[in-house]
Amino acid sequence: MFRFIVRRLLQMILAFFGTTLIVYALMFAGQGDPIQALAGERPVTAAQRAYLTEKYHLDATGVGGFFYRYFDYISNLLRGDLGESLTGRSIGDILAAAWPVTIRLALIALAVAVIFGVTAGVLAGIRRASIFDNATLLLTLLVLGIPTIVLAPLAQYFLGVKWQVFPPTAGADPDFYALLLPGIVLGSLSLATALRLTRTSVAENLRADYVRTARSKGLPNRRVVSVHVLRNSLIPVITFLGVEVGNLMSGAIITEGVFNIPGVGFNLFRGIRTEDGPLVVGIVSVLVVVYLISNLVVDILYAVLDPRIRYE
């Protein structure tokens, strides 16, 4: 296990540098005029342009200039300095204000996916080909077929505006109730996928030899399902949810944009729209770390859930 963790940490380092390099290149290598893109239609004085050009090393051109700016950014990043956006605001301060909102939103979405998705998937797998099983398959197919860019405005209109069950927008400092509807929308796709994965895994494990052996020993069906079937069936679900944590922690750009939630995804979209390269690269760098750590935790949980799995 120790050697496996060391190998994964080395892979995480390579993945981190590779990902940040690609994102940095996409944001800066072919960029036209980031200063004017930030200002929009407003004119930029020569003094302002000279100051921003020197501050962000935008005067360094060519391949050498690009790698100079990249390694300068990485060196600051390793010291814990995410830099400043083109607006002059610290990226660390932006993330410090956005993370609490996004974490609460992600926890709501994850709770929806686990509580309803996994529970319904276990019941559907046990009662395969029943009315409940067919109904859940139909509903999850419907949810998976509707993109978030359509589902979020529909939920906002019907549940927020027309029927007024939830607040239509979250606002600057949203409470739990204001984040409940966006969390349900954000977790709906995860719920549908987790339900289908759980249902398929449970149905397959119920036909396994070790289940027949346990039943032949006289173990009650509840113990067979809860101790033997469920533990092995959760392996693909844990894998999916571990990867999905990264998506949820980004706040899903569309969900935060529709419900006006000042989270990580909202700020990421704003940085892309204004061509604010430092802001985009800083947020993506943090999200890459979240993805890598969540995947490492999932791999370690494999051995806990299934003793047959070893990493030696």
Side-chain angles (χ1 to χ4, degrees):
M1 178 66 74
F2 176 76
R3 287 180 293 177
F4 166 76
I5 295 177
V6 172
R7 288 198 304 268
R8 286 305 307 268
L9 289 175
L10 293 176
Q11 294 172 2
M12 288 170 59
I13 294 174
L14 294 176
F16 173 77
F17 281 104
T19 305
T20 53
L21 177 61
I22 293 174
V23 174
Y24 201 90
L26 291 175
M27 288 303 303
F28 288 107
Q31 203 174 52
D33 189 353
I35 299 176
Q36 191 61 54
L38 176 67
E41 299 296 331
R42 295 173 298 176
V44 181
T45 64
Q48 291 173 332
R49 182 175 293 277
Y51 169 75
L52 293 174
T53 299
E54 181 181 0
K55 181 178 181 180
Y56 294 104
H57 309 291
L58 298 177
D59 53 344
T61 59
V63 178
F66 164 75
F67 279 104
Y68 172 77
R69 292 194 299 268
Y70 172 72
F71 285 115
D72 179 68
Y73 168 76
I74 290 296
S75 62
N76 292 329
L77 182 63
L78 294 178
R79 293 194 298 267
D81 181 12
L82 294 174
E84 295 180 349
S85 68
L86 291 180
T87 61
R89 187 181 177 188
S90 172
I91 298 176
D93 293 341
I94 295 175
L95 287 176
W99 272 121
V101 180
T102 296
I103 289 175
R104 283 184 288 164
L105 179 64
L107 289 176
I108 294 173
L110 190 63
V112 169
V114 172
I115 295 174
F116 296 100
V118 176
T119 303
V122 172
L123 294 176
I126 295 174
R127 303 175 182 177
R128 191 175 184 181
S130 64
I131 297 178
F132 178 79
D133 181 30
N134 293 328
T136 54
L137 289 177
L138 180 62
L139 290 175
T140 54
L141 183 63
L142 181 64
V143 172
L144 291 173
I146 302 178
T148 306
I149 196 172
V150 176
L151 182 62
L154 286 177
Q156 183 186 48
Y157 173 73
F158 285 106
L159 297 177
V161 178
K162 188 174 182 179
W163 298 330
Q164 298 182 356
V165 179
F166 299 99
T169 58
D173 188 18
D175 55 11
F176 173 79
Y177 189 65
L179 292 175
L180 189 56
L181 178 59
I184 294 173
V185 173
L186 180 61
S188 59
L189 295 180
S190 302
L191 184 153
T193 306
L195 192 153
R196 285 178 164 259
L197 283 174
T198 307
R199 180 234 178 220
T200 302
S201 186
V202 168
E204 290 179 354
N205 281 287
L206 283 174
R207 297 192 298 266
D209 293 336
Y210 69 89
V211 173
R212 286 193 291 267
T213 302
R215 285 175 173 169
S216 65
K217 292 180 178 179
L219 293 178
N221 188 60
R222 177 179 299 181
R223 181 172 177 80
V224 172
V225 173
S226 61
V227 176
H228 299 281
V229 176
L230 186 58
R231 184 173 183 177
N232 291 320
S233 300
L234 284 179
I235 294 178
V237 181
I238 293 295
T239 304
F240 166 73
L241 293 177
V243 176
E244 194 69 8
V245 165
N247 295 327
L248 297 178
M249 291 301 290
S250 68
I253 295 177
I254 296 174
T255 304
E256 289 193 351
V258 170
F259 291 97
N260 193 28
I261 301 173
V264 176
F266 182 85
N267 285 280
L268 179 59
F269 173 73
R270 185 183 63 182
I272 296 173
R273 180 170 53 84
T274 60
E275 295 188 29
D276 194 334
L279 179 61
V280 173
V281 177
I283 293 177
V284 171
S285 300
V286 176
L287 292 178
V288 167
V289 175
V290 173
Y291 271 102
L292 294 175
I293 293 177
S294 63
N295 286 333
L296 177 63
V297 172
V298 167
D299 289 337
I300 295 175
L301 284 177
Y302 279 175
V304 177
L305 292 173
D306 191 348
R308 297 173 299 178
I309 300 175
R310 289 292 180 264
Y311 295 112
E312 297 295 343

